[in-house]
Amino acid sequence: MAPSEQLRPDLWTTVNERYPGSMIRKSDAVALATLGVPLERARLCFVSSAGVQPIGTLPFDVAHPLGDFSYRTVPSNAVPSDLEIHQLKYPSAGATQDLNVIFPIERLQELVAAGRLGSLTPQFFSFIGYNMDPVRFERDFAERLAAAVHAQEPDVALLAPA
Amino acid sequence: MALVQRALERLGTPTVSVTVARDITVACRPPRAVFVPFMMGHHFGVPGNAELQKTIILAALRLVAEARRSGEIRDLPYTWNLARRGAYTGES
């Protein structure tokens, strides 16, 4: 089966009936930014919507009907035992055993140590993907988070939409 | 996440996402993405397979250097079935 055949044409209808306007489509392409250095010298920032956060930080609000429009910073030198997950919308069985399946912080640290990547930004970023106000998400949250990531001066950003 | 990715790319940072929901990614049109047909919440593979996790990361980052058009989605040659059965134990 070709990947395009995995499209679920009824998904938008179904979800939009329950959460009007929540499923977005974009038809315009964003101009590609250029990677200015080889990966071996590049500084990487990781961004996740898996609800991973340092233990002791304010838990994401997983009960609010519109979601949680905040993000957490995660120190890139953290270890999995420093972190916990507050998110209900995806199967976290694997992440409970090995956080790297959704938030590969140890693998990124190892790739830097092995010289495959240059370095990591001091902070990674995390939020929850359940946000049911797409206008607010796009105009406010996405811009705020993108600015915060950009302020870490990454050469490249790796994102994992949970 | 695609909206964050689009905003970040506009600020000048090259980006790539790892997606397990190809149709949503097609609809939201991030600048670059790699697709793995893995279970939700398991974008980088299975617990304990560090080599597969690194392979997915590096494959995604390769697309940052190689993509020539915005919106490209590269399908990676891994299956959830084989990942769960312990394949892909060497970096490729």
Side-chain angles (χ1 to χ4, degrees):
Chain A
M1 185 172 70
S4 59
E5 293 174 28
Q6 294 184 6
L7 295 174
R8 296 163 288 181
D10 295 333
L11 175 71
W12 267 250
T13 305
T14 304
V15 177
N16 269 325
E17 283 173 358
R18 185 166 297 180
Y19 305 104
S22 61
M23 299 303 285
I24 61 152
R25 286 184 182 278
K26 287 290 174 186
S27 56
D28 63 308
V30 175
L32 293 181
T34 303
L35 181 64
V37 295
L39 285 175
E40 293 76 14
R41 295 211 309 270
R43 176 166 145 124
L44 180 142
C45 187
F46 178 65
V47 185
S48 165
S49 60
V52 173
Q53 54 185 113
I55 293 172
T57 57
L58 181 68
F60 288 114
D61 186 347
V62 296
H64 195 289
L66 289 182
D68 186 332
F69 295 83
S70 67
Y71 63 82
R72 305 286 179 274
T73 55
V74 177
S76 64
N77 62 358
V79 295
S81 59
D82 297 333
L83 307 173
E84 62 186 5
I85 299 172
H86 289 276
Q87 167 70 298
L88 302 174
K89 301 295 183 183
Y90 66 88
S92 55
T96 303
Q97 290 180 57
D98 179 358
L99 187 67
N100 295 285
V101 302
I102 190 65
F103 198 95
I105 189 167
E106 290 178 298
R107 301 295 89 82
L108 291 166
Q109 293 164 352
E110 290 164 7
L111 288 168
V112 171
R116 304 293 298 271
L117 286 174
S119 60
L120 306 175
T121 56
Q123 301 294 331
F124 291 166
F125 293 85
S126 178
F127 62 103
I128 62 172
Y130 180 81
N131 300 101
M132 287 298 133
D133 183 342
V135 174
R136 178 181 176 190
F137 186 92
E138 181 169 18
R139 293 184 183 171
D140 174 39
F141 179 76
E143 296 295 332
R144 276 193 292 120
L145 177 52
V149 174
H150 192 64
Q152 295 279 313
E153 300 183 337
D155 296 306
V156 63
L158 175 68
L159 300 87
Chain B
M1 179 65 94
L3 297 174
V4 176
Q5 185 174 350
R6 289 165 61 94
L8 188 52
E9 190 92 19
R10 277 197 211 97
L11 291 174
T13 298
T15 62
V16 64
S17 52
V18 177
T19 176
V20 298
R22 200 179 196 285
D23 49 355
I24 294 176
T25 301
V26 168
C28 300
R29 206 160 179 177
R32 305 173 200 78
V34 295
F35 170 68
V36 284
F38 291 171
M39 187 164 84
M40 280 182 73
H42 298 71
H43 296 43
F44 297 91
V46 291
N49 190 340
E51 290 308 316
L52 178 59
Q53 294 163 7
K54 282 190 275 196
T55 296
I56 302 288
I57 293 170
L58 291 171
L61 294 177
R62 266 198 297 279
L63 183 60
V64 176
E66 295 173 2
R68 290 293 173 267
R69 66 174 178 83
S70 183
E72 179 168 350
I73 301 173
R74 180 172 288 179
D75 298 297
L76 299 187
Y78 308 103
T79 70
W80 182 239
N81 182 34
L82 287 177
R84 290 186 69 189
R85 289 160 59 185
Y88 315 130
T89 51
E91 189 181 324
S92 58

